[in-house]
Amino acid sequence: MPYITFLFPGQGSQKIGMGKDFFENSSLAKELFEAASDRLKIDFTKLLFEENDRINETAYTQPAIMLVSLTALKLFQSHSNITPQYALGHSLGEFGAVASVGALGSIDAIELVHYRGKFMSEAAKDANGGMMVVMGLSDEEVEQICAKARDEGKKVWPANYNSDGQIVVAGLKADLMSLEGVFKDAGAKRALLLNMSVASHCPLMEPARKPLQEYLEQFLQDSFAAPVISNVTAAPYKTKNEAIELLSRQLVEPVHYKQSIQNIENETDIFIEFGEGNVLKGLNRRITKKPTICISNMKSLEDALEVINK
């Protein structure tokens, strides 16, 4: 049996129609959708399958993505009893990783990230924050430009280390826009402001930390079937206390996705991404030669099971 690492995508992978194939072809998926809708008092079939604006609001985006990812996971687990070597996620996805190893119930995870989204939105009200993707510069070059800008009184920080030559920077929108030319003068192929109203993974999210910790204490269980790789440290953890600290620190510190994959690729034969978009599969192509399979509908589930059971 190959060594498998479970992956869970974060915000930005959402789209109308995601999860519909699961819902229409699986009673297990329908049960999960209904249970999540009942618990959160949100009609997830309307949120996910009908045109609406709420799908891009953080408090709704996060549980929507989590529901689809955990539906894919549950369907996979209904056909396979594999315990992963590791589990990890990108930002929001780390909560899916924790759920996948048994330390967080599925519906609890969906409710928890709904609160996380609310806390992040509330923190964002006090600052006109945003995020910018920078392509074509080294980590060190982006870090130096951000540090110099902070010395000048600007509020900008590296937020997502996605792959070599791709970093997302977070901070005040005006400060980010003022750096667009600076990044390009330094040789960036692209410096593009993303369509986001929340400056994730930087100190602007500090007001969200304490309320999130309280809910983590309430929802998390001290029962990890496998280690989870922390976005903050790019190292494994396996206890409730570590999870409370690291999942709350994740709000205000950068996501070390690239480093996380690099740290475990020698102990992994196959990565399986659960959820919409192939986002992490795309990043992994630039980080590792190990294959990544994405489960986003019934056909891709069948394909993944065939690969695993070879």
Side-chain angles (χ1 to χ4, degrees), residues 237-248:
Y237 63 90
K238 209 175 176 183
T239 69
K240 176 177 177 176
N241 285 342
E242 288 173 298
I244 291 170
E245 180 199 350
L246 292 166
L247 288 170
S248 60

Side-chain angles (χ1 to χ4, degrees), residues 19 39 48 78 110 116 132 191 218-219 276 278 287 294 309:
R39 173 80 75 87
L48 286 166
S78 72
I110 295 163
R116 179 181 184 263
M132 173 178 278
Q218 178 183 333
F219 283 115
E276 189 62 41
N278 292 297
I287 302 169
C294 184
N309 293 324

Side-chain angles (χ1 to χ4, degrees), residues 23-308:
F23 182 82
E24 290 180 342
N25 294 288
S26 164
S27 58
L28 179 60
K30 278 184 183 165
E31 287 169 15
L32 203 55
F33 270 68
E34 287 166 9
S37 296
D38 289 345
R39 173 80 75 87
L40 275 69
K41 307 300 182 225
I42 296 169
D43 187 334
F44 278 99
T45 58
K46 285 187 176 178
L47 181 65
L48 286 166
F49 307 152
E50 298 178 12
E51 287 297 332
N52 68 91
D53 295 327
R54 289 202 303 176
I55 188 71
N56 292 316
E57 294 175 17
T58 298
Y60 295 96
T61 307
Q62 296 199 24
I65 290 170
M66 189 59 53
L67 172 57
V68 174
S69 286
L70 294 182
T71 299
L73 172 71
K74 288 293 183 188
L75 289 169
F76 176 80
Q77 289 177 327
S78 72
H79 292 88
S80 170
N81 60 0
I82 287 171
T83 298
Q85 184 80 350
Y86 296 104
L88 73 133
H90 190 292
S91 184
L92 160 72
E94 191 171 338
F95 290 77
V98 172
S100 77
V101 298
L104 191 55
S106 295
I107 306 302
D108 286 346
I110 295 163
E111 184 177 7
L112 178 57
V113 300
H114 178 51
Y115 287 123
R116 179 181 184 263
K118 281 186 172 182
F119 300 146
M120 291 172 72
S121 294
E122 286 164 13
K125 281 179 187 174
D126 297 330
N128 187 20
M131 304 185 82
M132 173 178 278
V133 63
V134 180
M135 308 281 288
L137 294 180
S138 69
D139 296 352
E140 294 75 20
E141 286 171 313
V142 174
E143 288 164 355
Q144 286 166 11
I145 289 169
C146 288
K148 185 172 184 294
R150 289 196 303 276
D151 287 343
E152 295 166 357
K154 294 177 181 177
K155 294 187 175 181
V156 289
W157 298 267
N160 298 340
Y161 291 84
N162 286 335
S163 63
D164 285 343
Q166 187 189 127
I167 296 185
V168 175
V169 178
L172 296 180
K173 255 183 195 167
D175 292 344
L176 292 171
M177 289 170 70
S178 75
L179 291 181
E180 185 179 346
V182 179
F183 286 128
K184 288 182 177 175
D185 288 345
K189 295 175 185 173
R190 179 180 293 181
L192 179 67
L193 201 64
L194 299 174
N195 184 24
M196 294 186 73
S197 58
V198 174
S200 303
H201 311 298
C202 77
L204 295 179
M205 283 293 108
E206 185 61 41
R209 272 188 78 183
K210 190 173 180 194
L212 179 63
Q213 283 179 334
E214 291 170 2
Y215 277 92
L216 287 166
E217 180 67 53
Q218 178 183 333
F219 283 115
L220 281 168
Q221 301 157 34
D222 213 345
S223 55
F224 287 70
V228 174
I229 304 299
S230 165
N231 282 184
V232 172
T233 63
Y237 63 90
K238 209 175 176 183
T239 69
K240 176 177 177 176
N241 285 342
E242 288 173 298
I244 291 170
E245 180 199 350
L246 292 166
L247 288 170
S248 60
R249 279 176 59 191
Q250 188 214 71
L251 287 172
V252 297
E253 297 185 39
V255 170
H256 292 94
Y257 181 77
K258 172 181 72 173
Q259 295 88 337
S260 296
I261 295 295
Q262 290 170 338
N263 285 350
I264 62 170
E265 65 178 337
N266 290 337
E267 299 171 73
T268 299
D269 296 315
I270 299 170
F271 294 94
I272 301 180
E273 179 180 3
F274 296 94
E276 189 62 41
N278 292 297
V279 174
L280 302 184
K281 182 177 181 178
L283 291 180
N284 280 10
R285 283 198 196 102
R286 303 178 62 179
I287 302 169
T288 178
K289 292 181 179 178
K290 299 293 176 67
T292 302
I293 304 167
C294 184
I295 299 177
S296 58
N297 54 37
M298 297 303 284
K299 175 67 167 63
S300 57
L301 171 65
E302 291 171 14
D303 293 345
L305 289 167
E306 192 175 322
V307 170
I308 298 305

